[in-house]
Amino acid sequence: MSLSVAEVARILVVLTVFLIAAHLGAYVFARLRQPPVIGEIAGGVLLGGSALGLVAPSVSTWLAPSGTPTAHVLGAVYQLGTILMVFLAGLEMRRGGLGAERRTVLFTTVAGLVIPFAAGMAIAQVVDSGDLAGPHGSGLSISLVLGLAIAVTSIPVISRIMIDLGIMGGLFARTVLTVAVIEDVLLYVVLAVILGLAHVQADTSYGLHALFHTASIGWNVAYYVAASVLFFALCLAGGRAAFRRLVSGPVGALERRSPAAFRMVFMFALCLCCIGLGIDPIFGALMAGISMADDVDEENGSPGLSAIRGFSLAFFVPIYFALVGYRLDLVHDLDPVFFGWLFAVACVIKFGSVWAGARLAGKSRSWSTHFAVAMNARGGPGIILASVAFAAGIINGKFLVALVLLSILTSQLAGAWLTQALARDPAFVSEDPPSVSTGGSPARAEAMPGQRPSGCPEPGTDAGDGGEDVAEGDIDRMAFPAAGEGERPKVE
């Protein structure tokens, strides 16, 4: 398909406008010490029906008209942005050991995942799902989305918050990230089932599932659960080994020629495997990221991954989040009453369940409180859940707006809380707090009460090397600073 010069010019203008809006918004929010990804979404909101659409609706519509080459290009960039965003999230899911904290991980994961998800499913039974569903949504898929929305925790956002505070290497941070990784892998399996049901509802099933397509909801759910779990299990068990074997094998010539191209091919291959199974390709990107998560030189970084990360964060991912903001109609779709009770219920349930799990594991009240607040940050995964569900026609604009705002506000609250907590009690991030149970001595504190642990800057000061502002060098969905802004922290 060839495009006229006028169509090419229009596409370039639209991409430039979205790119400038996203990066300018990220810059402003970073200067305000807020997650830059929120600024990228805000940049898109300003271009959409909530701002520009009110004063110049024809201009706002011109940016993303339906059924035109420009719309198709934006759709392709949006999909690639989704794939790369999930891939980068997978890179954060690195293996680590916590020793004696396994009990804490077990209790908080079970309590913080099962209780919120079950509560969300139960709440969905008493609300009008038809008021939240899109054209391809159903009562079951709305229940699953609401359960995920309450249970999800953002790995990139909470990682970024702890990096900005200089506490990434402590036991507290490692425990938070370990629980978040386990939760997110399990929740992505549920998301695969949700998207599969949407294709069944829309009669657009593909891959292996299309060969066995039936009208039975039970069969469809069983298929997507089995296919997703099997794919995830195989990749988790052998993905890293397969990647290393390919690097050293005959196809390793591509890796030596272009490390970034080799990793992109590996990611696309797993995406195609997912399509063949009939599940969404974003899960191939997730597992590709997990498979490469240990492929990092702690001092110099992986050249291939650095190249992919750099261009993704410069172009695809900012436009993806700007388009998310562009689709938000805060004027017509924001229901303050619905959002108010959803925000309160989601925060209370997630906080209470994680706090109870930490207490059952023997943690002190204050440590359990800080941990529960950190696990309440929904950030990027919450936004991805909302945007993917909306794009698949599962939820409507009202539910989309509520889920995006829930993700944004819980992330901001977690950052503000941990900043104040670190100022009051800096020892909790680097030591195993005294257990409430009897027997056994508490772990030795690495910082005396009232004294900041070694390597932790004062809250609000720069965490990067050389006094450089970390918040300006990257965006919050990525846990690590951009190249040249300090050493990549090691998550063990």
Side-chain angles (χ1 to χ4, degrees):
M1 174 182 173
S2 60
L3 299 176
S4 67
V5 175
E7 290 172 331
V8 172
R10 180 174 184 170
I11 291 170
L12 292 176
V13 169
V14 170
L15 290 176
T16 300
V17 169
F18 274 103
L19 203 57
I20 291 175
H23 281 285
L24 183 60
Y27 173 79
V28 171
F29 273 69
R31 297 299 297 176
L32 296 174
R33 310 298 297 179
Q34 297 297 313
V37 67
I38 301 176
E40 292 176 348
I41 295 174
V45 169
L46 293 178
L47 298 176
S50 302
L52 184 60
L54 297 178
V55 296
S58 60
V59 177
S60 179
T61 303
W62 183 87
L63 291 173
S66 59
T68 65
T70 301
H72 296 318
V73 170
L74 285 177
V77 172
Y78 180 88
Q79 293 299 328
L80 286 172
T82 306
I83 287 174
L84 290 167
M85 175 65 213
V86 175
F87 170 74
L88 295 178
L91 288 176
E92 306 310 320
M93 300 184 184
R94 303 172 64 197
R95 287 177 175 171
L98 290 170
E101 290 304 300
R102 290 191 181 93
R103 176 182 172 88
T104 304
V105 170
L106 175 63
F107 278 72
T108 55
T109 299
V110 173
L113 181 61
V114 175
I115 296 176
F117 186 77
M121 293 280 290
I123 292 171
Q125 306 307 310
V126 298
V127 300
D128 183 7
S129 60
D131 189 40
L132 304 175
H136 304 147
S138 63
L140 177 58
S141 59
I142 291 297
S143 298
L144 292 173
V145 169
L146 189 55
L148 284 181
I150 295 178
V152 70
T153 296
S154 171
I155 298 171
V157 165
I158 196 60
S159 298
R160 180 55 188 269
I161 289 171
M162 291 187 292
I163 282 176
D164 286 345
L165 294 175
I167 63 176
M168 193 62 171
L171 184 61
F172 177 85
R174 301 203 310 273
T175 308
V176 168
L177 292 180
T178 301
V179 175
V181 165
I182 297 172
E183 285 189 358
D184 278 10
V185 170
L186 295 175
L187 293 176
Y188 272 118
V189 173
V190 180
L191 182 56
V193 176
I194 295 173
L195 294 177
L197 292 176
H199 286 294
V200 172
Q201 189 81 7
D203 197 22
T204 56
S205 298
Y206 52 86
L208 186 61
H209 178 266
L211 299 177
F212 306 101
H213 175 68
T214 70
S216 170
I217 293 296
W219 157 253
N220 290 315
V221 171
Y223 174 84
Y224 284 116
V225 169
S228 303
V229 170
L230 177 62
F231 178 75
F232 276 58
L234 289 175
C235 290
L236 288 173
R240 286 179 169 94
F243 176 75
R244 294 192 183 103
R245 192 172 298 113
L246 288 172
V247 170
S248 59
V251 295
L254 177 59
E255 202 276 340
R256 293 185 291 274
R257 169 69 178 82
S258 174
F262 178 81
R263 285 156 178 78
M264 292 287 287
V265 168
F266 183 82
M267 177 181 68
F268 290 153
L270 290 187
C271 290
L272 290 172
C273 288
C274 286
I275 293 176
L277 288 173
I279 59 180
D280 198 279
I282 65 172
F283 304 108
L286 175 73
M287 300 316 297
I290 293 175
S291 299
M292 301 180 203
D294 292 335
D295 178 41
V296 175
D297 183 324
E298 295 297 338
E299 294 183 359
N300 304 315
S302 166
L305 293 179
S306 297
I308 296 172
R309 178 185 288 116
F311 189 70
S312 298
L313 297 181
F315 180 75
F316 284 103
V317 178
I319 291 182
Y320 163 78
F321 279 110
L323 287 172
V324 170
Y326 180 85
R327 294 177 177 181
L328 295 179
D329 190 345
L330 300 177
V331 176
H332 301 99
D333 290 336
L334 176 59
D335 184 338
V337 175
F338 171 67
F339 171 70
W341 74 254
L342 176 63
F343 178 83
V345 168
C347 290
V348 169
I349 292 175
K350 181 70 175 180
F351 175 90
S353 60
V354 174
W355 188 88
R359 292 285 289 160
L360 288 173
K363 294 301 180 182
S364 68
R365 293 179 183 274
S366 61
W367 194 96
S368 300
T369 299
H370 303 326
F371 189 81
V373 171
M375 295 299 297
N376 228 328
R378 289 164 175 84
I383 295 171
I384 290 176
L385 168 66
S387 60
V388 169
F390 180 76
I394 299 171
I395 63 175
N396 60 16
K398 172 183 174 180
F399 205 0
L400 171 69
V401 169
L403 292 181
V404 171
L405 292 180
L406 175 65
S407 300
I408 290 173
L409 292 181
T410 53
S411 300
Q412 290 181 303
L413 287 175
W417 179 281
L418 290 179
T419 299
Q420 294 301 317
L422 189 61
R424 295 192 304 267
D425 181 23
F428 83 89
V429 301
S430 58
E431 66 168 320
D432 186 2
S435 171
V436 296
S437 60
T438 59
S441 59
R444 182 180 60 87
E446 295 180 14
M448 296 298 292
Q451 178 183 357
R452 186 166 305 281
S454 177
C456 292
E458 293 291 337
T461 61
D462 300 334
D465 292 342
E468 192 170 344
D469 192 348
V470 173
E472 295 179 29
D474 206 345
I475 54 179
D476 76 325
R477 60 194 165 275
M478 286 304 302
F480 304 117
E485 292 192 13
E487 184 178 355
R488 177 180 174 125
K490 182 176 181 181
V491 184
E492 299 179 340

